[in-house]
């Protein structure tokens, strides 16, 4: 159950063939046994018939032994502690965790200290990502100055230096006028706005409202705090024509309202995070602070609605919502604990539960994990296409193991999935043709055919 | 053995620490009297509540006290679940003297004992718990215990002070005293915290008293021999009228306090005395 993160290998040059793989092509919505040829860090060719009789001489080839191969995961919701709280997570430790998790591109939330409301911070992240040399890293720009929800951040200038979308991270924009102007203004740059819809005046509780909160004596955030904000945002998108992506949808009502808005042809998209389709509020029983998330884990009926929303496509994408918290933030009474859970390394195995439970096919899962988020955020990768970056994940869907927080690579261990038995494991992660992670169980030093 | 029959030597030589992160003269004194009456040494620790890093203090304090090898720590804390968290860090007995809005188990035990002394049994009794249910650990512990003992429980109060889905705990919910007190055997009033009176949860003290305060007129709705309880300290003229509180025919509030010491003595002896021979003590 261990593997190697590889950072020393040179940029990919020449050609490598990955043969005998079960290829998952989310864009074509297909799964087949075949091969993929990588040249100079890009996908040169792929298909069921490629190298059907073995790779030609002169090309290094890797026999995948029937394992699955898919476009690497594009995780659009990752928080690290760099800069500001490096003891929780650095870009390097997050890069390692992402590599182990099969994530080939990630987008960093802007709620650091200082927040990413200045062009220099976006440039800093890009420079550090080049040094870390693992997963591709992009960054959000702040939507409002200081993430205070009052004045617009420099959306144009931040776009110019590479901010891929704009958000105030987990801070909801309570002021409708600010949100309206943000949606209008961002149109000038065709910028995507990402919003966690939670009515701030109602969502201050420690967990979701209901029987469990009542029994535990904890203050509750009602699920309605979410759908109220979803409905407001839908009206503002109608008014402004802005590009809005709602993040971390967690309630049945929200899924229904978004489905209706999409049916009317409104340009609105959304995601959910792995905890919201895999856990419910029972996970915080016994005051388990690792289960304290924002928004809070909801009731079972909400979880089922999120699964259904993923199934019918109402929910476009899945994110990890990786948020490291140290012991000092979590080993305190529940109401005082900071929300958030780590998720980079567990995203694929948890998401594969949707496949094992027959809710999604593998191509559908990788639409949610890879191709759709890449398209929405306008990122390279996330798909199999000739000329696309060779960002790939090789994984074993049948590998059974138990998540153990002490074996995770993240600097902090606050996984809401600790001790959960899962089925499926990343065997190798390839970014730009370069293998950045390889599990010990996956021997890639196959001889050239 | 100091002439106390049946008391184990471990209790008599024990050390009990009262660790109160939240002010409480009554409960702390009750535990202190109980422990001293049993012959244990008692140390009262007053912990400042204003500390910003309450959580750190909590676990640090727990480990420090644990190193001194007390037999029991009695803990009150303003946060739900804090006593549970602390208990994970120590290896002595921990008694919950009230955690946030979660539980206050010895209060429920003393309430049940008081009712049983007056009525012989709790089986089939109808108990109305009235007032600020939402923020009350007393209500939650009583809901659990009284139902286990065979009583039926109603909760009565304004909707803003009623926790979500409280009916899932098996209780009947009433938003007015007229229906809530009908035919009840026991009226248990709860304290309304001052900070919740002014506009946020209820409009004013006078409006609250008018509709939810217990006076003789409202008490008439209950059974003619219905008894009145209150965990204290009382806000006279807010949730209870002085005439009712001081009516010795109906109010058993002072008996609750008396039973509080008895119940806490029993808890301490069962938990400390039984420590080295728990099976024998339980049997």
């Amino acid at each position: 159950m261990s593997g190697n993160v590889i950072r020393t290998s040179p940029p990919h040059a020449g050609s490598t063939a990955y043969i005998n793989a079960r290829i998952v092509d989310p864009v074509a919505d297909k799964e087949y046994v075949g091969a993929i040829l990588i040249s100079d860090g890009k996908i040169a060719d792929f298909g069921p018939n490629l190298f059907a009789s073995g790779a030609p001489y002169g090309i290094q080839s890797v026999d995948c032994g029937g394992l699955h191969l898919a476009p690497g995961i594009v995780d659009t919701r990752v928080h690290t502690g760099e800069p500001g709280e490096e003891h929780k997570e650095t870009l390097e430790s997050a890069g390692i965790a992402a590599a182990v998790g099969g994530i080939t591109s990630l987008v960093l939330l802007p709620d650091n200290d200082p927040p990413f409301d200045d062009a220099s911070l976006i440039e800093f992240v890009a420079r550090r990502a080049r040094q870390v040399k693992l997963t591709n890293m992009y960054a959000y720009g702040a939507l409002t100055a200081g993430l205070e929800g009052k004045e617009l951040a420099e959306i144009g200038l931040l776009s110019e230096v590479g901010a891929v979308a704009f958000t105030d991270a987990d801070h909801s924009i309570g002021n409708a006028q600010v949100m309206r102007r943000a949606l209008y203004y961002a149109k000038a740059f065709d910028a995507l706005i990402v919003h966690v819809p939670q009515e701030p005046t109602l969502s201050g509780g420690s967990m979701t409202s209901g029987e469990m909160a009542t029994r535990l004596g904890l203050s509750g955030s009602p699920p309605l705090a979410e759908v109220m904000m979803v409905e407001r945002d839908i009206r503002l998108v109608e008014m402004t024509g802005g590009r809005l992506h709602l993040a971390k949808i967690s309630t049945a009502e929200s899924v229904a309202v978004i489905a209706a808005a999409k049916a009317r042809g409104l340009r609105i998209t959304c995601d959910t995070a792995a905890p919201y389709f895999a856990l419910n509020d029972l996970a915080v029983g016994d005051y388990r602070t690792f289960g304290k998330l924002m928004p809070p884990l909801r009731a079972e009926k909400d979880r089922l609605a999120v699964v259904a929303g993923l199934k019918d496509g109402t929910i476009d994408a899945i994110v990890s919502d990786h948020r490291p918290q140290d012991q000092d933030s979590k080993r305190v009474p529940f109401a005082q604990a900071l929300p958030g859970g780590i998720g980079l390394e567990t995203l694929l195995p948890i998401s594969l539960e949707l496949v094992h439970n027959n809710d999604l096919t593998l191509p559908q899962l990788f639409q949610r994990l890879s191709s759709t988020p890449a398209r929405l955020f306008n990122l390279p990768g996330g798909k199999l296409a000739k000329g696309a970056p060779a960002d790939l994940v090789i994984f074993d869907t049948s590998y059974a193991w138990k998540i153990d927080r002490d074996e995770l690579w993240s600097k902090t261990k606050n996984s809401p999935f600790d001790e959960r038995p899962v089925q499926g494991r990343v065997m190798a992660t390839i970014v730009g043709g370069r293998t950045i992670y390889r599990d010990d169980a996956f021997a890639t030093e196959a001889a050239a055919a | 053995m100091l002439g106390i029959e049946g008391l184990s030597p471990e209790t008599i030589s024990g050390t009990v620490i009262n660790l109160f992160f939240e002010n409480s003269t009554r409960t702390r004194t009750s535990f202190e009297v109980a422990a001293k009456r049993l012959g244990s040494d008692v140390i009262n620790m007053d912990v400042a509540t204003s500390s910003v890093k309450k959580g750190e203090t909590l676990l640090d304090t727990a480990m420090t006290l644990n190193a001194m090898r007390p037999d029991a720590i009695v803990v009150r804390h303003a946060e739900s679940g804090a006593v549970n968290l602390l208990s994970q860090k120590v290896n002595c007995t921990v008694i919950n003297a009230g955690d946030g809005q979660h539980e206050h188990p010895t209060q429920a035990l003393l309430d049940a004992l008081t009712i049983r002394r007056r009525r012989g049994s709790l089986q089939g009794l109808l108990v109305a718990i009235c007032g600020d249910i939402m923020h009350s650990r007393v209500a939650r512990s009583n809901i659990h215990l009284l139902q286990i003992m065979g009583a039926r429980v109603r909760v009565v109060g304004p909707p803003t002070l009623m926790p979500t889905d409280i009916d899932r705990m098996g209780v009947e919910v009433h938003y007015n005293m007229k229906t809530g007190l009908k035919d009840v055997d026991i009226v248990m009033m709860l304290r309304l915290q001052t900070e919740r009176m002014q506009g946020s949860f209820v409009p004013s003290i006078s409006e609250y008293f008018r509709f939810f305060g217990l006076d003789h007129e409202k008490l008439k709705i209950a059974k003619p021999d219905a008894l009145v309880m209150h965990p204290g300290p009382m806000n006279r003229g807010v949730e209870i009228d002085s005439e009712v509180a001081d009516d010795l025919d109906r109010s058993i509030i002072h008996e609750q306090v008396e039973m509080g010491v008895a119940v806490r003595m029993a808890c301490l002896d069962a938990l400390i005395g039984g420590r080295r021979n728990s099976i024998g003590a339980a049997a």
Side-chain angles (χ1 to χ4, degrees):
Chain A
M1 286 243 304
S2 58
N4 295 298
V5 176
I6 306 149
R7 271 183 296 169
T8 48
S9 66
H12 186 264
S15 299
T16 305
Y18 288 84
I19 61 168
N20 192 21
R22 291 200 66 83
I23 292 179
V24 179
D25 184 339
V27 178
D29 201 15
K30 279 185 185 145
E31 183 185 343
Y32 52 80
V33 176
I36 184 162
L37 177 66
I38 297 172
S39 282
D40 298 327
K42 294 194 174 356
I43 296 171
D45 202 0
F46 63 101
N49 302 316
L50 183 67
F51 309 136
S53 49
Y57 286 107
I59 294 179
Q60 189 193 355
S61 86
V62 176
D63 189 336
C64 296
L67 293 175
H68 283 88
L69 183 153
I73 296 169
V74 177
D75 184 357
T76 60
R77 197 166 189 89
V78 177
H79 176 86
T80 80
E82 185 174 347
E85 291 188 309
E86 286 81 357
H87 60 288
K88 291 186 177 177
E89 192 91 285
T90 60
L91 292 174
E92 177 167 351
S93 64
I96 291 169
V100 176
I103 294 161
T104 52
S105 290
L106 56 80
V107 185
L108 295 160
L109 288 166
D111 57 332
N112 281 62
D113 183 15
F116 301 173
D117 62 355
D118 186 276
S120 63
L121 272 304
I122 306 292
E123 288 168 339
F124 165 80
V125 169
R127 187 172 71 248
R128 288 284 294 128
R130 283 195 301 275
Q131 290 166 353
V132 169
K133 243 178 94 179
L134 288 164
T135 294
N136 299 310
M137 292 186 185
Y138 305 91
Y140 285 94
L143 182 60
T144 67
L147 308 174
E148 285 174 355
K150 292 175 190 155
E151 294 158 11
L152 295 183
E154 294 168 333
I155 292 173
L157 292 175
L158 291 164
S159 287
E160 267 187 352
V161 293
V164 295
F166 295 84
T167 188
D168 273 4
D170 283 358
H171 306 270
S172 290
I173 308 287
N175 186 322
Q177 180 71 294
V178 170
M179 192 61 166
R180 175 187 165 208
R181 289 197 176 128
L183 284 162
Y184 262 135
Y185 186 77
K187 283 173 76 174
F189 306 95
D190 196 30
L192 178 68
I193 290 177
V194 177
H195 189 218
V196 178
Q198 297 293 328
E199 168 52 44
T201 57
L202 290 178
S203 55
S206 294
M207 64 175 295
T208 199
S209 300
E211 182 185 357
M212 183 63 104
T214 291
R215 283 182 183 274
L216 293 175
L218 293 171
S219 57
S221 293
L224 283 177
E226 182 171 305
V227 72
M228 283 173 66
M229 196 58 109
V230 169
E231 287 176 327
R232 184 203 75 175
D233 283 354
I234 285 170
R235 296 297 175 192
L236 290 175
V237 168
E238 275 174 334
M239 180 197 283
T240 61
R243 279 178 71 202
L244 182 67
H245 177 83
L246 296 169
K248 298 201 276 187
I249 292 304
S250 71
T251 75
E253 289 84 354
S254 303
V255 174
V257 166
I258 292 167
K262 285 184 163 187
R264 292 207 308 275
L266 208 61
R267 191 168 65 155
I268 194 165
T269 55
C270 68
D271 66 54
T272 192
Y276 303 111
F277 62 76
L279 296 170
N280 61 28
D281 63 348
L282 294 178
V284 305
D286 218 14
Y287 301 100
R288 209 166 156 270
T289 55
F290 281 8
K292 184 174 180 180
L293 306 174
M294 208 307 284
L297 290 169
R298 304 292 189 184
E300 176 65 4
K301 77 164 177 60
D302 292 306
R303 187 191 73 82
L304 292 171
V306 169
V307 171
L310 282 165
K311 202 171 169 174
D312 68 21
T314 302
I315 300 176
D316 301 270
I318 296 170
V319 297
S320 72
D321 194 30
H322 181 81
R323 184 168 290 269
Q325 298 289 9
D326 59 1
Q327 294 261 359
D328 287 349
S329 312
K330 287 290 191 184
R331 295 228 55 173
V332 291
F334 197 89
Q336 295 169 4
L338 295 181
I342 56 170
L344 291 169
E345 291 160 79
T346 52
L347 179 57
L348 182 60
I350 296 295
S351 297
L352 278 170
E353 290 178 7
L354 295 164
V355 176
H356 299 314
N357 294 338
N358 294 318
D359 293 313
L360 295 181
T361 64
L362 272 172
Q364 285 170 339
L365 177 64
F366 277 87
Q367 288 160 17
R368 317 287 187 265
L369 286 172
S370 303
S371 61
T372 302
R375 178 169 52 80
L376 295 177
F377 284 71
N378 203 17
L379 305 175
K383 61 181 180 239
L384 300 182
K386 286 182 189 177
D391 294 352
L392 305 166
V393 57
I394 297 170
F395 58 101
D396 181 345
T397 56
S398 61
Y399 193 117
W401 57 294
K402 194 170 174 180
I403 294 170
D404 176 350
R405 65 179 194 228
D406 291 325
E407 287 190 9
L408 298 177
W409 294 65
S410 269
K411 271 185 122 173
T412 66
K413 308 299 175 189
N414 56 308
S415 169
F417 301 111
D418 189 27
E419 295 185 16
R420 189 181 180 101
V422 289
Q423 195 185 331
R425 194 172 172 88
V426 172
M427 287 292 143
T429 307
I430 298 156
V431 171
R434 194 167 63 88
T435 302
I436 60 166
Y437 172 73
R438 185 187 306 132
D439 192 277
D440 289 345
F442 183 57
T444 55
E445 299 307 322
Chain B
M1 298 292 162
L2 298 176
I4 304 175
E5 236 177 89
L7 201 59
S8 70
E10 288 85 359
T11 309
I12 293 163
S13 62
T15 303
V16 176
I17 298 178
N18 273 337
L19 179 61
F20 279 59
F21 292 90
E22 195 183 60
N23 291 331
S24 157
T25 316
R26 303 164 64 97
T27 305
R28 202 193 68 185
T29 308
S30 180
F31 268 107
E32 184 173 352
V33 169
K36 284 183 168 164
R37 222 165 255 177
L38 290 168
S40 292
D41 292 323
V42 184
I43 292 105
N44 287 318
M45 295 241 343
D46 287 316
V47 188
T49 50
S50 58
S51 166
V52 182
K53 292 272 180 188
K54 261 191 242 175
E56 277 182 349
T57 309
L58 176 67
L59 287 189
D60 286 348
T61 311
M63 285 187 287
T64 305
L65 294 179
N66 189 52
M68 298 176 192
R69 308 258 168 217
D71 294 275
I73 306 180
V74 178
V75 188
R76 165 161 298 184
H77 198 283
E79 296 287 2
S80 302
V83 181
N84 174 310
L85 179 65
L86 183 143
S87 74
Q88 295 164 19
K89 280 279 172 182
V90 302
N91 45 27
C92 65
T93 291
V94 173
I95 298 177
N96 184 355
D99 66 318
Q101 303 164 13
H102 178 223
E103 289 244 31
H104 192 353
T106 57
Q107 178 71 42
L109 287 167
L110 76 87
D111 288 338
L113 176 62
T114 309
I115 297 171
R116 199 175 69 177
R117 272 166 59 97
R118 287 298 187 115
R119 288 285 184 263
S121 162
L122 283 91
Q123 191 67 44
L125 293 184
L126 185 54
V127 181
I129 306 176
C130 309
D132 182 0
I133 311 293
M134 177 182 276
H135 302 100
S136 177
R137 50 193 171 220
V138 175
R140 285 171 178 77
S141 283
N142 265 308
I143 288 168
H144 289 305
L145 183 62
L146 297 178
Q147 292 188 120
I148 288 169
M149 299 297 286
R152 287 188 295 138
V153 178
R154 276 184 194 163
V155 288
V156 189
T160 45
L161 293 174
M162 206 57 84
T164 316
D165 293 344
I166 184 75
D167 55 309
R168 299 283 291 272
M169 292 178 77
V171 299
E172 238 179 72
V173 181
H174 291 262
Y175 296 139
N176 70 73
M177 298 287 267
K178 281 197 184 96
T179 62
L181 295 191
K182 186 131 181 53
D183 299 328
V184 303
D185 298 281
I186 307 286
V187 184
M188 189 181 285
M189 300 308 297
L190 298 174
R191 177 181 167 77
L192 185 68
Q193 301 282 332
T194 327
E195 62 269 26
R196 288 167 193 139
M197 295 174 196
Q198 306 292 348
S200 51
F201 290 89
V202 293
S204 68
I205 292 172
S206 53
E207 174 152 333
Y208 185 79
F209 182 70
R210 170 75 181 80
F211 294 98
F212 298 98
L214 186 67
D215 52 19
H216 269 298
E217 196 183 324
K218 294 198 191 77
L219 187 56
K220 278 182 196 151
I221 304 165
K223 280 188 181 167
D225 61 345
L227 298 170
V228 175
M229 303 175 77
H230 193 297
M234 286 182 281
N235 291 309
R236 291 167 182 266
V238 179
E239 70 263 359
I240 192 162
D241 188 42
S242 284
E243 287 198 2
V244 174
D246 299 334
D247 181 350
L248 294 179
D249 295 330
R250 312 298 293 274
S251 166
I252 53 172
I253 294 169
H254 293 294
E255 190 170 335
Q256 288 176 272
V257 178
E258 190 186 348
M259 290 308 107
V261 176
V263 152
R264 284 160 187 142
M265 285 173 74
C267 288
L268 285 167
D269 188 45
L271 294 168
I272 299 178
R275 244 168 25 109
R276 288 168 214 170
N277 189 11
S278 54
I279 297 164

